[in-house]
Amino acid sequence: MKAFFDELKKDHKEVKDILEKMSSSSKTAEKSREKLFAQLKEELVPHMKAENVAFYSVLMDKKNARQNALEATEEHNLTEMVFRQLEETPAKDELWAVKVKVLKDLIEHHIEEEEQEIFEIAQEEIEKDDFKQIMQAFQQEKEKVKSSIS
Ligand SMILES: [Fe+2]
């Protein structure tokens, strides 16, 4: 159980670090912005899909966690929408930094809710023994999505 939460937290930190670098990048550093975006894509998209498939699908079936799981996956949808818009925005466009800001706020809020609330609820609702299977499914799905986008 702890190993699973630690793995998610590690991913979260990675994503937050990339977003931090993106938000302090300058308009003229197009190449480095593109590189950071590619890094974000490789981290963020597989992570969210894997959370949905391995973790939120389980929480959806728990009465006391369903609402949180619905909200969190909806935030994933919203995050993906903003992310796709950013993907269409040239790094030199003034909107690039604006979209990064919106995306960063959205993701930071989402991660905070996951780490502060949802992990705790999951700990109460999911059997300890089930976490091994969840972790496995999470890693598998992440790898699958990663190899499909790169
Ligand atoms: Fe998430």
Side-chain angles (χ1 to χ4, degrees), residues 2-16:
K2 189 180 175 296
F4 177 64
F5 292 144
D6 284 349
E7 171 134 350
L8 295 189
K9 282 184 190 166
K10 205 174 118 233
D11 286 358
H12 289 167
K13 191 179 177 305
E14 192 83 35
V15 166
K16 283 198 284 189

Side-chain angles (χ1 to χ4, degrees), residues 1 4 7 11 36 43 63 67 70 77 88 92-93 98-99 109 113 116 140 144 147:
M1 175 176 69
F4 177 64
E7 171 134 350
D11 286 358
L36 286 166
E43 287 299 321
K63 200 169 149 254
Q67 196 58 36
L70 287 170
N77 289 342
E88 300 300 316
K92 59 176 188 296
D93 194 310
V98 176
K99 288 185 194 295
H109 157 85
E113 269 186 0
Q116 308 297 326
Q140 245 171 38
K144 202 177 97 189
S147 58

Side-chain angles (χ1 to χ4, degrees), residues 49-50 53 136-146:
K49 294 252 160 72
V53 167
Q136 232 173 35
F138 177 78
Q139 287 168 337
Q140 245 171 38
E141 183 67 19
K142 209 166 82 173
E143 282 316 307
K144 202 177 97 189
V145 181
K146 252 189 197 181

Side-chain angles (χ1 to χ4, degrees), residues 27 86 89-90 92-101:
K27 209 172 164 173
L86 178 63
T89 308
K92 59 176 188 296
D93 194 310
E94 67 173 341
L95 281 178
W96 194 88
V98 176
K99 288 185 194 295
V100 166
K101 167 112 181 45

Side-chain angles (χ1 to χ4, degrees), residues 10 17 33 38 41-42 48 53 66 75 77-79 82 86 89-90 98 113 120 128-129 141-142 148:
K10 205 174 118 233
D17 286 350
R33 281 186 166 186
K41 184 173 184 173
E42 207 187 304
M48 291 198 300
V53 167
R66 185 169 173 82
E75 285 174 2
N77 289 342
L78 196 58
T79 300
V82 179
L86 178 63
T89 308
V98 176
E113 269 186 0
E120 211 165 299
K128 226 177 165 175
D129 291 345
E141 183 67 19
K142 209 166 82 173
S148 77

Side-chain angles (χ1 to χ4, degrees), residues 12 47-48 51 56 72 76 110 114:
H12 289 167
H47 173 87
M48 291 198 300
E51 271 186 350
Y56 286 118
H76 283 178
H110 173 76
E114 279 184 337

Side-chain angles (χ1 to χ4, degrees), residues 13-77:
K13 191 179 177 305
E14 192 83 35
V15 166
K16 283 198 284 189
D17 286 350
I18 299 167
L19 284 163
E20 204 60 57
K21 285 182 196 156
M22 288 171 93
S23 71
S24 60
S25 69
S26 89
K27 209 172 164 173
T28 50
E30 268 178 79
K31 279 277 163 286
S32 93
R33 281 186 166 186
E34 281 161 13
K35 218 171 126 189
L36 286 166
F37 179 83
Q39 281 174 22
L40 181 70
K41 184 173 184 173
E42 207 187 304
E43 287 299 321
L44 180 68
V45 176
H47 173 87
M48 291 198 300
K49 294 252 160 72
E51 271 186 350
N52 287 353
V53 167
F55 185 48
Y56 286 118
S57 65
V58 176
L59 286 178
M60 285 294 178
D61 292 335
K62 313 279 181 195
K63 200 169 149 254
N64 294 329
R66 185 169 173 82
Q67 196 58 36
N68 294 81
L70 287 170
E71 278 177 31
T73 47
E74 206 49 44
E75 285 174 2
H76 283 178
N77 289 342

